[in-house]
Amino acid sequence: MTRLSDLQGLFFWGFLIVFGAVMYLVSPRVRSDAGFFQGHDEQGRPASEWALMMSIFISWIFAKSVT
């Protein structure tokens, strides 16, 4: 059983690392407080639905790991 548990742990953390790297690369960059708090990029465009969905997904994963 320990081997399966270790494999699950490696898969879980590997997924989170890859997911985090991909989200970092595709997320818009902001340089102002207003851009950060309002969720707009430098051209004033709002965050895409895809980016919001991925943010909700990773928040759900972390919430599940706490419970």
Side-chain angles (χ1 to χ4, degrees), residues 10-67:
L10 286 173
F11 178 74
F12 177 74
W13 286 108
F15 170 76
L16 287 181
I17 290 169
V18 170
F19 183 84
V22 169
M23 288 305 297
Y24 179 79
L25 293 173
V26 301
S27 297
R29 308 292 182 258
V30 295
R31 306 240 190 273
S32 66
D33 291 341
F36 178 80
F37 290 110
Q38 294 175 355
H40 294 99
D41 64 6
E42 292 177 349
Q43 287 78 28
R45 296 176 300 207
S48 69
E49 291 178 8
W50 185 83
L52 292 174
M53 183 178 60
M54 290 296 107
S55 176
I56 291 168
F57 175 69
I58 198 68
S59 297
W60 177 77
I61 287 176
F62 282 120
K64 291 298 283 181
S65 70
V66 169
T67 60

